[in-house]
Amino acid sequence: MNEKKCEAILNKYNEEKGSIISILQDIQEGFGYIPEDVVFWFAEKLNIPASNFFGVTTFYAQFYLKPRGKHIITACCGTACHVKGAEPIINRMRADLGIAEGEDTTADGWFTLEKLACIGACSIAPVLIVNKKVYGGMSPDKASRMLKEYEKSSPR
Amino acid sequence: MAEKKKAKPKTKTTTRSKTKPGPKAKGPDVEGLTIRVCVGTGGLAAGSQEVIDSFHTELKAHGLEAAVEKKCVNKTGCRGFCAKDVLVDVILDGSTSTYQRVRPEKISRIVEEHIINGRPVEEWLVGPDYHTFHDKQTKILLKQCGQIDPEDINAYIGIGGYEGAKKALSLTEFEVIEEVKKSGLRGRGGAGFLTGLKWEFCSMSRATPKYIICNADEGDPGAFMDRSIIEGNPHSVIEGMIIGGYAIGANTGYIYIRAEYPLAIERLKIAIDEATKKGFIGKDIFESGFDFEIRIKEGAGAFICGEETALIASIEGKRGMPRSKPPFPVNKGLRGKPTVINNVETLSNLPSIMTKGASWFSSIGSEQSKGTKVFALTGRIKNTGLIEVPMGISLKEIIYDIGGGMEKKNRKLKAVQTGGPSGGCIPASHINMPVDYESLMRIGSMMGSGGMVVMDDATCMVDMSKFFISFTQSESCGKCVPCRIGTKRMLEILTRITGGSGKESDIDLLIEIGTDIKLSSLCGLGQSAPNPVLSTINFFRKEYESHIKKGICPAGVCKALRQYVINAEACKMCGKCARVCPSSAVIWQPKQKAVINKSKCVKCGACFDACPFNSIM
């Protein structure tokens, strides 16, 4: 655990009178996910039960209790993307990346493939976001090719 | 292109404003030059940043550094026609030419032929469909989105920005509320409550402080109106909040926005900073003695937080769970104080209501639904994008005139889904109906926030309702039983039907559970969650029956009702299908063609999706 990072977040919280959600957002920004020991550290410092933190963490889709991959692939599953075939794209990418059933990250922690309700880019559906870059008008083949490029530019 | 007469090029009227013959080839004139590039999320995904960069390099390469220095290349928000991105306006001496599908490699020719020699590159200009797309629209909110740089407050002020707030602050609070009431503006978030009335209720509350919240938690899958408005014209929302805050007596405003919209958040932050510097936010605005500040609260990915009371809980840092109403937020809202929550689009309408007057606004639209509505037109339609139409326009006009008809010529319109997971499907037979709050309610759908997903006959309605129910089921907060367990049961039944093992009694069971959930759920999410199922059963019952009785999915979407075979000719022996098959039904050895063992196949379709050569049928 990085105590310095935590202190910084705590100071910001005290200054801005933030909420549990803003602390968690900062923790995730700093650590990439919400490590349990960090939550307990904050719970103690702020005298707020840790269960409150976990309650909020598990409620919102944006918080992760497990470390995520180096490359984050987000597949939009909104209505427009669904109608235009998001599912086949996701299945293809899962097969290409070899992500195990019930998991969303590759065994070596390189890629995370997650679904999102809607990113609101419906006019260019189906949409994928890789490391915050938006790719519109995708197809299983295009997704395969894109993954290969990422594999090439950042070998495991 | 054979252009004989240089001085008078033949210009087809393919541009929006009259294209005057370009200036005679007299060399570059930077004075009258403006280039507008769309930088909404759609535009950026299509590569608009690369287009801007390319304009800069090409302009410099052609000796037009002055154009770059004078910032002739402007960013604008979404202009709606995202199917044609990247859209670029080149305005030369007052005449506008619009290019579609611009790519960086096209810039060099545009700079050379158009900007330097004054001859637009005809073949790349927008075609007639660009005009039909815009002709039937009435643009109030979106008009400015495609014109101004969203990151420059002076651009907004230049088109009359903050005049509405100035006028409002010169009136009494009571007069502002009366004006908004008279305009007939109704909340654009879905339910359609009269905005002025909501304000009046809140202003009557004695408790202080009061709050105004802008609900930008646009969670409906298939909707992106609010995102585009914020990305394209963030100041209109801020101005609306100032007007609303003044009217109800709130000195603090919150914008609750989805974290999934990073670009919109960034632009809002810039806009708030600039507005504060100009004195539109802060102490004693327009010397009226009114103080106002705005804070941004980022959501954390929960659809339910679009519900008023859940949104308030989320701002307070709690789990976003709704509570029962009354007391309504106008009496007891954020931190127990009177709070008004308005949708982005609602707020964005306010500046022009203040400047142009209530009677101007109420002259647009239908009897009970005033003004315009922004829709996100998506799905299997040719012209996808963002549209703004007067209330009461017919669906047919939207789909065929603005939308240009079906995406694929051989497909027929089947239904239009409005209102997202809270709405319903309108079958093609009702295409002449007007689009307003009441008509949509009557047919079992709703206005919702404005998603409009067009479906053709390759869409399975049972699969669609399963999609929506699985969405609402996973987004149900779990507080009340009907929603938590009811949607789960409905999802199980729909999964059963699409999986090929539906029972005859299932349809009636769905109707029964759905009706009960609607009656007994705590908040709007549960009360409207069964709508997609109930409306598709109402209009497409035969399709459900076909799944259950015949084991056939008429649209060919439901995988379990398909038969999978490998086309030996197309098979390239890669073995991907065998690796993804969960039931070892694909028989494959390296350097051999794959075969499916039908007795083992569970029809999951994994092989179909995995095959890179489309050899599985």
Side-chain angles (χ1 to χ4, degrees):
Chain A
M1 198 181 86
N2 188 335
E3 201 131 334
K4 241 188 209 163
K5 249 190 218 174
C6 295
E7 293 278 2
I9 296 171
L10 188 67
N11 287 339
K12 190 180 158 204
Y13 166 82
N14 285 333
E15 266 170 38
E16 293 179 7
K17 290 184 205 149
S19 66
I20 290 187
I21 292 181
S22 46
I23 296 181
L24 288 169
Q25 276 167 340
D26 287 343
I27 296 177
Q28 183 140 303
E29 184 75 35
F31 293 88
Y33 71 111
I34 315 263
E36 267 186 41
D37 50 351
V38 174
V39 171
F40 283 115
W41 187 88
F42 273 97
E44 196 165 298
K45 290 271 175 196
L46 293 166
N47 203 18
I48 299 171
S51 61
N52 283 16
F53 282 92
F54 289 116
V56 171
T57 307
T58 50
F59 186 85
Y60 295 99
Q62 202 194 54
F63 297 126
Y64 306 91
L65 287 162
K66 277 194 226 161
R68 303 164 77 215
K70 187 172 178 336
H71 300 292
I72 313 275
I73 305 164
T74 313
C76 178
C77 295
T79 321
C81 291
H82 179 80
V83 170
K84 288 200 165 182
E87 205 63 36
I89 299 175
I90 295 168
N91 290 341
R92 172 74 73 81
M93 286 196 297
R94 287 187 78 91
D96 282 359
L97 294 169
I99 296 175
E101 193 74 35
E103 290 289 329
D104 58 4
T105 304
T106 51
D108 59 359
W110 211 252
F111 285 98
T112 291
L113 174 61
E114 60 185 16
K115 294 184 189 179
L116 198 96
C118 184
I119 66 143
C122 314
S123 49
I124 49 171
V127 179
L128 291 175
I129 306 167
V130 186
N131 301 336
K132 293 190 178 168
K133 189 169 167 22
V134 180
Y135 293 86
M138 295 307 282
S139 67
D141 290 341
K142 279 188 192 167
S144 274
R145 251 176 282 152
M146 184 198 69
L147 284 181
K148 270 191 199 129
E149 268 166 42
Y150 273 92
E151 296 262 19
K152 229 188 265 169
S153 62
S154 150
R156 304 189 189 198
Chain B
M1 261 196 322
E3 285 279 0
K4 279 184 185 170
K5 290 175 202 164
K6 266 190 184 177
K8 213 179 174 188
K10 271 182 203 167
T11 38
K12 281 176 255 161
T13 44
T14 38
T15 48
R16 262 178 83 186
S17 60
K18 354 121 214 172
T19 314
K20 285 181 284 178
K24 282 148 238 151
K26 60 175 179 187
D29 176 14
V30 193
E31 281 304 315
L33 173 70
T34 310
I35 298 165
R36 293 190 195 135
V37 185
C38 164
V39 289
T41 295
L44 284 175
S48 55
Q49 189 55 49
E50 288 80 4
V51 168
I52 292 173
D53 294 343
S54 179
F55 260 118
H56 284 158
T57 34
E58 288 298 331
L59 285 170
K60 278 183 197 158
H62 288 84
L64 291 166
E65 283 95 348
V68 181
E69 276 159 29
K70 281 193 173 169
K71 294 192 177 150
C72 288
V73 187
N74 287 325
K75 296 176 183 178
T76 68
C78 184
R79 57 184 71 200
F81 208 171
C82 307
K84 305 271 183 196
D85 271 331
V86 177
L87 286 162
V88 173
D89 279 344
V90 175
I91 306 163
L92 204 57
D93 295 333
S95 81
T96 310
S97 307
T98 309
Y99 290 96
Q100 64 183 17
R101 299 216 173 91
V102 178
R103 299 287 170 267
E105 57 272 15
K106 288 185 175 176
I107 308 298
S108 158
R109 201 174 141 195
I110 293 176
V111 170
E112 224 159 85
E113 292 186 16
H114 188 171
I115 296 172
I116 295 179
N117 290 323
R119 285 198 315 266
V121 187
E122 302 259 342
E123 65 209 76
W124 293 340
L125 289 174
V126 289
D129 51 350
Y130 185 81
H131 306 283
T132 47
F133 181 78
H134 284 104
D135 280 351
K136 289 235 168 166
Q137 298 193 45
T138 306
K139 293 201 171 195
I140 298 172
L141 304 177
L142 296 183
K143 194 176 166 195
Q144 300 167 345
C145 278
Q147 282 179 349
I148 59 169
D149 182 349
E151 295 177 10
D152 181 7
I153 194 170
N154 292 321
Y156 183 61
I157 295 172
I159 54 163
Y162 288 102
E163 286 297 321
K166 194 174 177 182
K167 188 175 171 205
L169 266 56
S170 70
L171 304 170
T172 66
E173 291 89 335
F174 177 75
E175 284 169 331
V176 176
I177 292 176
E178 281 305 307
E179 190 73 9
V180 175
K181 265 168 78 182
K182 225 167 67 190
S183 74
L185 174 68
R186 295 169 69 173
R188 299 293 194 244
F193 195 77
L194 279 167
T195 307
L197 205 58
K198 198 189 244 184
W199 287 7
E200 191 172 54
F201 288 149
C202 188
S203 73
M204 287 191 296
S205 264
R206 291 260 173 87
T208 50
K210 291 176 185 171
Y211 298 102
I212 183 164
I213 298 175
C214 167
N215 185 351
D217 190 57
E218 186 177 46
D220 275 19
F224 54 98
M225 300 74 52
D226 297 350
R227 194 208 62 196
S228 300
I229 291 174
I230 295 178
E231 280 177 9
N233 195 1
H235 287 288
S236 67
V237 181
I238 293 172
E239 188 177 354
M241 284 185 80
I242 298 169
I243 297 168
Y246 174 73
I248 63 164
N251 298 109
T252 310
Y254 285 94
I255 301 177
Y256 186 85
I257 183 165
R258 298 179 79 198
E260 286 89 338
Y261 289 173
L263 186 64
I265 295 174
E266 194 192 310
R267 297 222 168 121
L268 264 182
K269 283 182 179 159
I270 296 172
I272 291 174
D273 274 353
E274 285 192 315
T276 311
K277 274 184 205 140
K278 292 264 177 192
F280 300 140
I281 303 175
K283 299 259 176 237
D284 194 17
I285 303 166
F286 298 121
E287 294 169 358
S288 64
F290 174 63
D291 306 338
F292 194 64
E293 59 161 350
I294 294 179
R295 292 187 197 149
I296 297 176
K297 281 277 175 189
E298 279 179 43
F303 174 67
I304 183 70
C305 289
E307 200 277 342
E308 293 187 319
T309 55
L311 186 152
I312 288 171
S314 183
I315 291 185
E316 290 169 351
K318 298 177 198 150
R319 286 166 72 99
M321 298 218 265
R323 60 164 174 77
S324 60
K325 294 187 272 191
F328 288 95
V330 285
N331 298 316
K332 267 184 193 288
L334 186 63
R335 302 182 190 109
K337 302 294 180 189
T339 305
V340 157
I341 301 173
N342 284 140
N343 163 274
V344 170
E345 201 184 324
T346 317
L347 290 167
S348 188
N349 264 309
L350 291 165
S352 34
I353 291 179
M354 289 320 295
T355 47
K356 295 185 189 166
S359 43
W360 161 79
F361 188 81
S362 60
S363 70
I364 307 164
S366 66
E367 189 60 38
Q368 282 171 303
S369 308
K370 298 296 181 196
T372 59
K373 177 78 191 87
V374 182
F375 286 102
L377 192 59
T378 58
R380 297 268 182 208
I381 193 162
K382 208 164 137 208
N383 304 338
T384 56
L386 204 64
I387 60 163
E388 183 174 357
V389 289
M391 295 271 193
I393 189 174
S394 77
L395 254 186
K396 194 176 178 181
E397 286 173 279
I398 294 182
I399 293 167
Y400 288 100
D401 296 345
I402 299 172
M406 294 293 103
E407 178 189 38
K408 290 177 185 159
K409 273 188 190 145
N410 53 346
R411 294 282 176 203
K412 275 199 313 221
L413 173 73
K414 186 172 190 174
V416 180
Q417 212 279 347
T418 65
S422 317
C425 289
I426 304 159
S429 53
H430 287 62
I431 193 165
N432 286 316
M433 68 172 278
V435 177
D436 57 41
Y437 291 101
E438 277 71 28
S439 309
L440 286 169
M441 277 293 210
R442 229 174 288 133
I443 202 162
S445 182
M446 68 187 279
M447 182 76 81
S449 50
M452 197 175 261
V453 185
V454 178
M455 297 160 192
D456 61 15
D457 47 11
T459 315
C460 169
M461 301 318 276
V462 188
D463 174 70
M464 249 2 259
S465 26
K466 190 182 117 192
F467 167 80
F468 282 119
I469 282 288
S470 76
F471 176 79
T472 33
Q473 199 277 318
S474 69
E475 294 295 340
S476 169
C477 78
K479 186 169 177 175
C480 74
V481 179
C483 175
R484 183 181 69 225
I485 299 175
T487 52
K488 182 96 183 160
R489 292 291 93 86
M490 287 182 87
L491 179 60
E492 282 167 7
I493 297 169
L494 287 166
T495 310
R496 189 157 76 206
I497 297 176
T498 53
S501 45
K503 298 176 201 160
E504 287 211 17
S505 58
D506 277 350
I507 300 178
D508 290 327
L509 193 56
L510 279 174
I511 296 175
E512 192 189 331
I513 302 177
T515 318
D516 289 347
I517 298 175
K518 279 183 78 153
L519 286 172
S520 52
S521 289
L522 176 64
C523 81
L525 190 146
Q527 285 159 12
S528 60
N531 284 351
V533 183
L534 297 177
S535 84
T536 48
I537 291 180
N538 186 13
F539 293 116
F540 299 96
R541 194 177 176 116
K542 282 215 174 99
E543 215 165 295
Y544 281 81
E545 286 169 351
S546 165
H547 280 77
I548 296 170
K549 290 181 190 161
K550 297 184 200 153
I552 295 171
C553 171
V557 173
C558 298
K559 284 172 183 165
L561 304 174
R562 287 193 209 154
Q563 293 269 351
Y564 289 97
V565 205
I566 292 172
N567 177 357
E569 275 172 34
C571 179
K572 297 269 191 297
M573 299 176 273
C574 70
K576 272 200 171 140
C577 48
R579 268 184 299 243
V580 294
C581 180
S583 61
S584 319
V586 182
I587 307 157
W588 173 80
Q589 297 281 316
K591 291 182 189 166
Q592 267 182 26
K593 302 208 181 243
V595 187
I596 294 174
N597 177 351
K598 278 185 188 155
S599 62
K600 276 189 173 178
C601 178
V602 293
K603 298 174 184 173
C604 69
C607 55
F608 179 85
D609 295 338
C611 179
F613 316 108
N614 296 325
S615 63
I616 297 176
M617 297 177 291

